[in-house]
Amino acid sequence: MTDGARIPEHGSDAKELLALIEQRHAEDIDWRGGKAFSLVYNVDDHEHEELIEQVALRYIHDNALNPFKYPSVLQMELDVISMACQLLGTEPNAGSMSSGGTESIFLAVQVARGIAEPQPLTPSTAHPAFAKAAKYLDLEHILIPVGPDGRADVAATEAAITERTGLIVGSAPCYPYGVIDDIPALAGLALERDILFHTDACLGGWILPWWERLGEEVPPWDFRVPGVTSISADIHKYGYTFKGASTVLYKSRDLLSHQFFWYDDWPGGLYASGTAAGTRSAAPIAGAWAAINHLGEDGYLRLTEIVRDTTRRMQAGIEGIDGLEITHAPDLSLFEIGSSTLDIGAVGDVMDDRGWNLDRQQGGLHLMLSPYHARIADQFLADLADGAATTEASRGREASYGGLAT
């Protein structure tokens, strides 16, 4: 048995504990200062942050396991689901909330278990949550290569389809490169064969509709595309609420019903749940409801315009730095910085030393932009230029997602 933390014999003073927490928290990632490009989406709006923090305090002890005991939580959850369904173009009650993208993806894969031993087919750029779901559900996960543009290879997908294919997946966009797969072509393959198709819009679901309304060209990806049967979309990303709020939506309420779990062979009575979790914190539900209603369409359009303009500014600045390039032309506000002539790891080391937190990918450095990044774009680009000019060798830090070494 290894040594580790033990339950203290005597409790500690609350003020002392808070002081210790503040000390330790100061060592965490500096997302408020704009130096983080993943994990947190900095809305740059103190009033909005304070609102959802106050909402969280009011619901932090409440349990959404039995929604009928919390009618306010039930109504907020129904409202959020209805608004998400409206945003993405499906029936108003054909979805559910979950704790995050991984759970939403898991639920979509679970619904695909309508055939014996189904195989989910995903691009190699699809989120690892699909591989995780396949492992937990004991399914054979089939990976499809991507083309030079970073998008799923449609021909390779078609060639991989068998009688066991239960779900085909496309990303809108994929995390590594920020590109949207050819959803109409991929979903068309599924539609022709009566196979379920999932658009993973965990990242793009709460920004792409506003991006399109700003007049930007957005490849088709949502329920307007024939063959799309489910979509995952995280509110705690570009929906600008705190963590623990995602949605998984379906083409019909009937598909959603396959997600539910009912159990009445128990002395405690009927047990039912709509998602993988039983006990659920009410706070993320209330926070999502408050965030959407506080921002409204005009707020989302305003924030999306800031993100769009900052993306263009960053991309132009990066393209002006000798030796650096954006590896794949992105459809949204995230992309990979690479180089064919520089040691990109060494560039990343310089950025690390200056307090920036860029994810390391297999082919370069990754960043994803939030509204606050408009404030720090010039400093970031200046430090990046210095990084590109470094003559030091890379320290060999491995590729990572969210700072976790692989």
Side-chain angles (χ1 to χ4, degrees), residues 146-227:
V146 298
D149 61 356
R151 293 176 174 82
D153 186 322
V154 176
T157 302
E158 183 173 20
I161 296 173
T162 70
E163 293 182 354
R164 288 181 53 197
T165 302
L167 181 69
I168 300 174
V169 173
S171 302
C174 73
Y175 180 88
Y177 309 131
V179 299
I180 297 175
D181 289 323
D182 188 344
I183 302 299
L186 294 169
L189 295 176
L191 182 63
E192 291 170 0
R193 296 161 175 80
D194 198 25
I195 296 170
L196 297 179
F197 181 87
H198 183 82
T199 297
D200 174 20
C202 284
L203 205 157
W206 280 86
I207 188 171
L208 281 171
W210 317 115
W211 199 269
E212 182 178 354
R213 282 183 58 174
L214 288 175
E216 298 301 314
E217 184 176 348
V218 174
W221 62 279
D222 59 15
F223 286 111
R224 290 173 291 181
V225 177

Side-chain angles (χ1 to χ4, degrees), residues 29 31 35-41 175 243 357-359 366-370 373 401-403:
I29 190 169
W31 66 268
K35 291 199 168 185
F37 292 92
S38 65
L39 302 176
V40 178
Y41 294 71
Y175 180 88
K243 296 303 178 184
N357 291 275
L358 295 169
D359 287 349
H366 184 274
L367 72 163
M368 183 161 46
L369 300 174
S370 298
H373 290 130
Y401 172 64

Side-chain angles (χ1 to χ4, degrees), residues 25-311:
H25 197 197
E27 301 172 359
D28 292 341
I29 190 169
D30 176 23
W31 66 268
R32 289 192 184 277
K35 291 199 168 185
F37 292 92
S38 65
L39 302 176
V40 178
Y41 294 71
N42 191 336
V43 70
D44 192 23
D45 183 335
H46 178 72
E47 180 181 299
H48 182 80
E49 279 190 22
E50 186 171 326
L51 168 66
I52 60 176
E53 287 166 4
Q54 289 300 315
V55 169
L57 286 174
R58 284 160 175 77
Y59 282 93
I60 195 168
H61 299 294
D62 294 343
N63 185 352
L65 170 63
N66 185 342
F68 300 106
K69 298 295 184 181
Y70 296 95
S72 67
V73 179
L74 174 59
Q75 188 59 56
M76 285 188 287
E77 185 165 21
L78 292 174
D79 288 350
V80 170
I81 293 167
S82 177
M83 289 185 285
C85 290
Q86 176 196 23
L87 186 67
L88 304 190
T90 190
E91 299 174 10
N93 61 352
S96 67
M97 289 190 69
S98 77
S99 62
T102 292
E103 187 182 6
S104 290
I105 288 169
F106 177 92
L107 293 167
V109 175
Q110 163 64 22
V111 167
R113 297 190 73 184
I115 64 173
E117 299 182 338
Q119 294 174 327
L121 270 59
T122 77
S124 59
T125 50
H127 196 279
F130 289 99
K132 188 176 185 179
K135 179 178 180 179
Y136 284 1
L137 295 170
D138 195 23
L139 304 178
E140 184 182 5
H141 179 208
I142 307 298
L143 281 176
I144 305 300
V146 298
D149 61 356
R151 293 176 174 82
D153 186 322
V154 176
T157 302
E158 183 173 20
I161 296 173
T162 70
E163 293 182 354
R164 288 181 53 197
T165 302
L167 181 69
I168 300 174
V169 173
S171 302
C174 73
Y175 180 88
Y177 309 131
V179 299
I180 297 175
D181 289 323
D182 188 344
I183 302 299
L186 294 169
L189 295 176
L191 182 63
E192 291 170 0
R193 296 161 175 80
D194 198 25
I195 296 170
L196 297 179
F197 181 87
H198 183 82
T199 297
D200 174 20
C202 284
L203 205 157
W206 280 86
I207 188 171
L208 281 171
W210 317 115
W211 199 269
E212 182 178 354
R213 282 183 58 174
L214 288 175
E216 298 301 314
E217 184 176 348
V218 174
W221 62 279
D222 59 15
F223 286 111
R224 290 173 291 181
V225 177
V228 172
T229 55
S230 60
I231 298 176
S232 50
D234 292 355
I235 312 172
H236 63 212
K237 290 187 169 73
Y238 286 111
Y240 302 113
T241 189
F242 53 83
K243 296 303 178 184
S246 178
T247 52
V248 56
L249 312 176
Y250 296 90
K251 187 68 174 177
S252 67
R253 178 77 181 178
D254 179 65
L255 275 174
L256 172 66
S257 68
H258 294 283
Q259 181 181 291
F260 298 154
F261 176 77
W262 304 84
Y263 189 77
D264 59 3
D265 191 16
W266 184 48
L270 174 65
Y271 177 94
S273 61
T275 62
T279 289
R280 295 186 299 147
S281 171
I285 297 170
W289 183 91
I292 298 168
N293 280 285
H294 182 243
L295 291 172
E297 292 186 0
D298 55 353
Y300 280 116
L301 286 167
R302 172 178 54 83
L303 292 171
T304 301
E305 186 173 18
I306 294 171
V307 172
R308 181 199 64 183
D309 293 349
T310 304
T311 299

